[in-house]
Amino acid sequence: MIAPPTLAFPAVSHRTVNASFDGGDLTSDTGLLFLAQADQRLGLTDRMARVLLERRQIGKIRFDLATLLKERIYAIAAGYEDCNDLDTLKDDPALRIACGKDIHSHQALASQPTLSRFENAVTARELLRLGTLLSQTAVAQLPKATKHVFLDLDATVDPTHGQQELSLFDGHYDTWCYLPLLAFVTEDSGVQHLMGALLRSACGRSTKGVLWMVRKAVRILRECFPKIQITLRGDCGFGYGRLINWCERAGVGYLLAVQSTNPMRNKALWAQMEVAVWHRFNPADFCIYDEFMHKAGTWNMPTRMIVKATVDGSKVETRFVVTHASEGTAEEVYRSYTQRGDAENRIKEFKLDLLSGRTSCHRFLANAFRLLLHHAASILMKSLQLALSGTGYAKAQVNTVRVRLLKVAARIEVSCRRFLFHLPTSFPLHDLWCTLSTRLWTAPA
């Protein structure tokens, strides 16, 4: 066995300073235990494993499906989005205990080849069942008294860098990419939950898969909250006739931006002229809100249209939002629409903190499965964020929660009765750790 290297550092008080990787049962990710605690409360990975079909030969199985899911999802939540990281991390004592494995057994967790085969074995039918399960779990985290939610839709770009299936060039983003479709359910308090994640190729219309996802989301919300009121929000990529007509039939409210047309601009002429005249005598920022009834060729009926007119430099800019709402002024309705912009912060968390763009498998279905694994990791992290309500970290983003609460070093002591994690005595967030642990134990499923 090769001895671990010894590192030398500047001397202190005439004493040499050295470091060596021979500490034994140590971990730098003790907070993985919180993820396991949240997972056990939600029953997430166990339920995910039950919708997957076991195709391996029973006599050759070393890791059940639930263990593979736990290992992969916990690692993603902890910031290890690459399967190659598990070649080393599979021996981490905190991850092994979080996955329910004895750290002194001779069998480590699964390595990259096993996990890659696992990801590539999932079928389209299983992906549909997993997506439904994750959506149901996200909705179950809503408060029991929820009466109204916003369903926010948005698409994002996922650049590709290889020979991935269905990776095509998109002229708008000027790159080869996928275009995942994300759906967020937003409480009236502003708390947002990632409810759906659908991987799409860059080929075809931006509305591909939108109506299917909205139907599924509305069905799941109404199954959990039969009397809930749902308002759909989206930018101009989602304001099209089929979706608006379906919302009218299904009793779903909507606040959807639409691309301007000549008839719409003609009806908004008064607002454009007024804002131009105001800007002529007062260069300060100013905008005009107006409304009118409008029916496009593909709409079943005339619908209320909100218009916002502003001056950008020397040009009058107009934006249009179509809505079902008959109450509220034009400005109030438009401001309610603009609150959908906060979903972009959740997209940044999903992409930058949970690194959802790690869709580097060759097969499209494997990449779609990876996106769902990142969705599952976001649900566990949201569970931690909800448990931190009322503390100084109530609005902390995913990366802050990970760095401050999950990335904690510990020495593990093993006895015949317990695993004891010795945390740093000087750990500054000791009280917050105790609060989080207590709340995860007592919070309802």
Side-chain angles (χ1 to χ4, degrees):
M1 181 177 180
I2 301 176
T6 299
L7 309 179
F9 297 93
V12 176
S13 300
H14 306 292
R15 295 175 179 170
T16 60
V17 178
N18 301 105
S20 180
F21 297 95
D22 59 357
D25 291 332
L26 303 175
T27 182
S28 59
D29 296 285
T30 312
L32 287 169
L33 301 177
F34 284 138
L35 294 175
Q37 201 171 357
D39 183 20
Q40 184 178 13
R41 183 174 65 87
L42 296 173
L44 181 60
T45 53
D46 288 335
R47 289 188 292 130
M48 289 175 68
R50 287 196 290 270
V51 304
L52 297 177
L53 181 62
E54 180 61 85
R55 298 178 177 84
R56 299 171 294 176
Q57 297 181 24
I58 300 300
K60 298 181 179 180
I61 293 178
R62 297 177 59 192
F63 309 99
D64 58 27
L65 296 177
T67 300
L68 296 177
L69 287 167
K70 287 181 171 68
E71 180 181 1
R72 191 74 171 94
I73 293 171
Y74 295 172
I76 290 172
Y80 305 103
E81 81 285 0
D82 197 328
C83 261
N84 292 329
D85 296 330
L86 276 303
D87 283 340
T88 303
L89 199 65
K90 62 184 175 65
D91 293 311
D92 184 271
L95 181 60
R96 293 177 69 175
I97 291 177
C99 292
K101 302 299 180 183
D102 191 331
I103 62 175
H104 279 179
S105 67
H106 296 291
Q107 184 180 10
L109 294 173
S111 58
Q112 178 270 328
T114 301
L115 292 169
S116 292
R117 288 192 298 270
F118 169 56
E119 291 176 345
N120 280 272
V122 179
T123 65
R125 188 183 297 272
E126 290 171 321
L127 291 177
L128 291 175
R129 292 200 295 260
L130 280 176
T132 300
L133 172 61
L134 293 175
S135 296
Q136 292 170 338
T137 305
V139 170
Q141 291 185 303
L142 297 174
K144 299 300 182 184
T146 298
K147 297 180 179 179
H148 175 262
V149 294
F150 291 95
L151 183 60
D152 293 312
L153 298 178
D154 213 336
T156 185
V157 61
D158 179 6
T160 55
H161 308 282
Q163 299 298 322
Q164 291 99 311
E165 287 181 346
L166 300 183
S167 169
L168 301 171
F169 186 82
D170 186 275
H172 177 73
Y173 294 104
D174 193 29
T175 186
W176 292 78
C177 61
Y178 293 130
L179 294 177
L181 176 63
L182 305 178
F184 296 87
V185 58
T186 305
E187 305 172 23
D188 284 332
S189 63
V191 177
Q192 293 177 317
H193 306 259
L194 178 58
M195 185 177 176
L198 175 66
L199 190 67
R200 306 180 300 173
S201 71
C203 177
R205 297 171 60 94
S206 61
T207 57
K208 180 170 54 180
V210 171
L211 188 54
W212 174 84
M213 176 172 278
V214 171
R215 284 173 172 167
K216 186 180 77 168
V218 169
R219 175 177 57 81
I220 292 172
L221 283 166
R222 287 176 172 170
E223 285 176 352
C224 191
F225 303 95
K227 297 183 179 180
I228 195 171
Q229 296 179 358
I230 304 169
T231 301
L232 179 66
R233 294 191 296 199
D235 61 21
C236 60
F238 304 101
Y240 67 107
R242 285 188 62 198
L243 183 59
I244 294 173
N245 295 337
W246 181 87
C247 288
E248 291 283 358
R249 294 193 304 270
V252 174
Y254 53 89
L255 288 166
L256 300 171
V258 293
Q259 295 182 350
S260 62
T261 61
N262 286 333
M264 292 163 53
R265 287 191 291 269
N266 291 337
K267 291 182 179 181
L269 187 58
W270 178 87
Q272 297 173 357
M273 294 176 62
E274 183 175 354
V275 76
V277 170
W278 177 274
H279 184 75
R280 174 69 176 80
F281 297 100
N282 185 4
D285 292 338
F286 182 72
C287 61
I288 292 289
Y289 297 93
D290 196 11
E291 62 179 273
F292 52 84
M293 297 301 292
H294 182 75
K295 180 183 181 303
T298 58
W299 301 359
N300 289 339
M301 63 185 68
T303 308
R304 186 184 183 190
M305 183 74 71
I306 307 297
V307 58
K308 176 186 177 183
T310 59
V311 176
D312 184 8
S314 59
K315 183 179 179 182
V316 176
E317 296 283 351
T318 53
R319 296 178 175 85
F320 299 91
V321 174
V322 63
T323 179
H324 75 293
S326 58
E327 300 178 353
T329 65
E331 181 176 357
E332 290 171 345
V333 173
Y334 192 89
R335 291 189 181 279
S336 179
Y337 161 77
T338 58
Q339 291 175 4
R340 62 164 292 278
D342 193 45
E344 296 182 3
N345 293 324
R346 306 290 79 75
I347 293 176
K348 290 178 181 177
E349 281 187 282
F350 192 51
K351 294 177 65 175
L352 302 179
D353 296 347
L354 289 172
L355 301 162
S356 64
R358 199 65 171 90
T359 50
S360 54
C361 285
H362 170 67
R363 295 181 66 246
F364 179 80
L365 292 182
N367 288 321
F369 182 42
R370 282 193 172 188
L371 187 66
L372 294 181
L373 292 176
H374 287 264
H375 184 189
S378 76
I379 290 176
L380 293 182
M381 293 301 290
K382 173 58 70 173
S383 183
L384 300 189
Q385 291 172 312
L386 293 175
L388 291 169
S389 61
T391 71
Y393 285 76
K395 296 184 178 180
Q397 295 188 351
V398 167
N399 192 55
T400 301
V401 173
R402 175 194 295 144
V403 171
R404 302 302 301 273
L405 295 175
L406 302 190
K407 298 291 183 180
V408 182
R411 174 175 58 85
I412 296 91
E413 179 182 330
V414 182
S415 68
C416 60
R417 294 184 178 181
R418 65 177 180 176
F419 297 102
L420 178 60
F421 284 73
H422 293 276
L423 297 166
T425 305
S426 58
F427 182 48
L429 299 179
H430 164 270
D431 292 339
L432 191 62
W433 248 62
C434 296
T435 299
L436 183 57
S437 178
T438 301
R439 289 183 176 181
L440 288 176
W441 274 121
T442 58

